């Protein structure tokens, strides 16, 4: 519980980082300024498979230079097979390689716990690479992989994932 206020502050700051400002170009990428994103991410720790998380949340993006975007994605997640759930925020820097592909660098902070076990909750920090494909103006698909550090247990876990986004 001692990390809870700090976690809430970090979640708030990361979720508001990319909300301000108007898009600066007329390409279809500017339409990713607001989107709804869903995804699936299996988690593996030192002991092996931990559970598969389904997650969803809004995303805000801002073009910070001609080919670089900053995006924030607060999300909620749940793992039906392990019973764990959590809240988090991912901040992504995306470098557009062309009109349809972007290379990503993700940073995340999140919380997870088993059902109502608030005393057993954990807080983690993570980072990793990704790639996003924009097949049309209203849809994007991302593949990513993060390595997270659990601050409570002082242990690492890996999270590959698939995200599907719809622009609003």
């Amino acid at each position: 519980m001692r990390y809870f206020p700090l976690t809430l502050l970090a979640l708030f700051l990361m979720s508001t980082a990319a909300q301000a400002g108007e898009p600066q170009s007329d390409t279809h990428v500017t339409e990713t300024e607001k989107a709804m994103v869903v995804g699936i991410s299996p988690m593996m720790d030192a002991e092996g498979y931990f559970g598969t998380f389904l997650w969803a949340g809004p995303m805000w993006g801002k073009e910070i230079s001609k080919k670089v975007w900053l995006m924030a994605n607060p999300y909620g997640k749940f793992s039906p097979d392990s019973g764990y759930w959590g809240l988090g925020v991912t901040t992504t820097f995306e470098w557009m390689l062309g009109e349809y592909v972007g290379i990503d660098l993700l940073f995340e902070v999140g919380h997870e716990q088993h059902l109502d076990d608030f005393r057993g909750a954990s807080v983690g920090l993570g980072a990793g690479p990704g790639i996003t494909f924009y097949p049309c103006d209203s849809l994007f698909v991302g593949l990513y992989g993060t390595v997270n550090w659990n601050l409570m247990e002082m242990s690492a876990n890996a999270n590959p994932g698939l995200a599907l986004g719809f622009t609003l």
Side-chain angles (χ1 to χ4, degrees), residues 109-128:
V109 60
H111 137 276
E112 61 190 39
Q113 68 184 58
H114 190 264
L115 302 175
D116 63 350
D117 182 16
F118 289 95
R119 289 187 178 267
S122 63
V123 175
L125 302 173

Side-chain angles (χ1 to χ4, degrees), residues 60-71:
W60 295 275
K62 179 175 175 25
E63 189 175 37
I64 57 176
S65 74
K66 185 171 179 148
K67 293 188 175 196
V68 179
W69 281 77
L70 172 64
M71 292 171 271

Side-chain angles (χ1 to χ4, degrees), residues 23 25-36 59 61 69 134 136-140 166-168:
S25 69
D26 293 331
T27 67
H28 79 280
V29 178
T30 60
E31 294 181 32
T32 64
E33 183 177 347
K34 294 177 185 170
M36 181 54 113
M59 178 183 280
W69 281 77
Y134 295 88
C136 63
D137 287 346
S138 60
L139 174 71
F140 56 93
F166 306 93
T167 59
L168 303 175

Side-chain angles (χ1 to χ4, degrees), residues 14 17 22 48 51 54 56 58-59 89 114-115 126 128 139-141 147 150 161:
M14 289 177 72
E22 292 297 319
L54 307 173
M59 178 183 280
V89 174
H114 190 264
L115 302 175
L139 174 71
F140 56 93
V141 178
V147 174
N150 184 323

